[in-house]
Amino acid sequence: MGGAPSFRIGILGLMDVAVVGAGTVGTALAFRLREAGHRILAVSGGSSTAERAATYLPGVPVLGPADAAREAEVVLIATPDDRIGRACESLARADALRDGGAVAHVSGATSLDVLSAAGSAGAMVLSIHPLQTLPSVDVALARLPGSAVAVTALSESGFLLGERLAVDIGGRPFRLADEAKPLYHAAAVFASNYVVSVAALAEELFGKAGLAEPVDAFLPLSRAALDNVEATGTAAALTGPVVRGDAGTVSLNLDALAGRLPSAIPAYVALAGVALGLGERSGRLSPEGRAAVEEVLDRWK
């Protein structure tokens, strides 16, 4: 994929920006960039885009993708991941990308290779990805300030542009290599999606134990665990029977799961294995304690 030696955007100045795929994330980014002084020339998107634009981007036209992008210095493609490549190729075929401009996508997992058509058209290619969950525009606007933002580019100029955009949406940019994006995204899945999945298991189990409002009961515990991670790091924050080497309690837990929710056993065993390694690295789990817990876990694999 070629670079863009004719890149002419004034990174330190204000820019003309278009957003292709102005859903929740694209609309929130456009709002923050407009607030920072950049000019949002136009947005494009699906059936709800016009309503979102009227609410959050009054005065910004809603156009087709090519018409939205044609005059922009920076085009943000905020479509679902599997549509980024097609959107970029469509813009390139329509001659809607400025030579010396830039095209950025906002996916955490997708390589810059999907923007190859933009690179061939003479545009700088990059990505910016807020490391945050953004379920609605209002929530996104509240959460973007202070969030870490991954910036991936093929050149120093691309990184500088991405960092500028990240700062202007209120984020804290960090540089991420293109080849590291799938691993980075897997880490994000553990940090967010699987936290919710584990919480759902806890909710079901607390319910089976007789708690009428399980989420209200365990949220303070979950929040305290994350507060401890922030204060002391993951290794020191780990508590519970595994790090104590309490094989008897682990066995009781698994017996209870077998009786009430057998489908939770594989998750418990897998996470206990992770906790064993963490406990050992923390220096708080003795070899004897680890061996005792492993003996229990092995019976349930």
Side-chain angles (χ1 to χ4, degrees):
M1 176 169 34
S6 57
F7 183 63
R8 294 186 294 272
I9 295 174
I11 293 173
L12 298 180
L14 299 177
M15 293 172 275
D16 290 341
V17 179
V19 178
V20 173
T24 295
V25 175
T27 299
L29 296 180
F31 181 99
R32 286 294 180 216
L33 290 173
R34 190 187 204 191
E35 191 177 54
H38 301 290
R39 186 160 67 124
I40 308 301
L41 296 183
V43 299
S44 71
S47 58
S48 301
T49 297
E51 181 180 353
R52 275 192 298 269
T55 301
Y56 297 99
L57 302 166
V60 173
V62 180
L63 305 174
D67 290 333
R70 188 163 282 116
E71 300 301 321
E73 294 173 284
V74 177
V75 177
L76 291 181
I77 299 180
T79 63
D81 290 9
D82 61 356
R83 300 180 195 170
I84 295 170
R86 293 199 302 272
C88 183
E89 290 166 6
S90 177
L91 294 175
R93 284 196 305 269
D95 198 26
L97 301 175
R98 289 174 55 168
D99 181 24
V103 177
H105 72 62
V106 299
S107 167
T110 306
S111 168
L112 295 181
D113 288 345
V114 297
L115 301 180
S116 59
S120 297
M124 179 79 70
V125 298
L126 64 145
S127 70
I128 60 171
H129 177 257
L131 187 56
Q132 184 56 270
T133 176
L134 307 171
S136 71
V137 177
D138 286 333
V139 171
L141 293 176
R143 290 180 179 171
L144 282 172
S147 293
V149 179
V151 177
T152 301
L154 301 179
S155 67
E156 183 65 17
S157 294
F159 277 115
L160 290 174
L161 174 60
E163 288 163 353
R164 168 69 192 277
L165 294 171
V167 168
D168 285 350
I169 65 173
R172 299 180 290 111
F174 65 94
R175 296 187 178 193
L176 179 70
D178 196 39
E179 61 271 18
K181 295 192 77 175
L183 184 61
Y184 155 82
H185 196 266
V189 168
F190 273 103
S192 176
N193 309 151
Y194 291 165
V195 169
V196 175
S197 299
V198 170
L201 277 177
E203 179 182 21
E204 186 171 2
L205 289 165
F206 276 127
K208 289 180 180 296
L211 278 70
E213 300 290 341
V215 175
D216 287 344
F218 75 72
L219 274 182
L221 173 63
S222 298
R223 291 189 175 114
L226 290 176
D227 287 344
N228 291 342
V229 169
E230 181 179 30
T232 67
T234 52
L238 181 65
T239 61
V242 171
V243 74
R244 297 194 302 267
D246 184 354
T249 297
V250 172
S251 183
L252 286 173
N253 288 169
L254 286 163
D255 285 338
L257 293 178
R260 299 303 303 274
L261 192 64
S263 61
I265 291 173
Y268 186 103
V269 170
L271 291 170
V274 174
L276 279 173
L278 189 58
E280 188 171 60
R281 291 196 299 276
S282 75
R284 292 181 293 138
L285 178 62
S286 69
E288 296 78 14
R290 175 167 188 145
V293 172
E294 284 181 330
E295 183 180 352
V296 172
L297 297 178
D298 286 344
R299 295 201 297 267
W300 294 90
K301 291 180 179 178

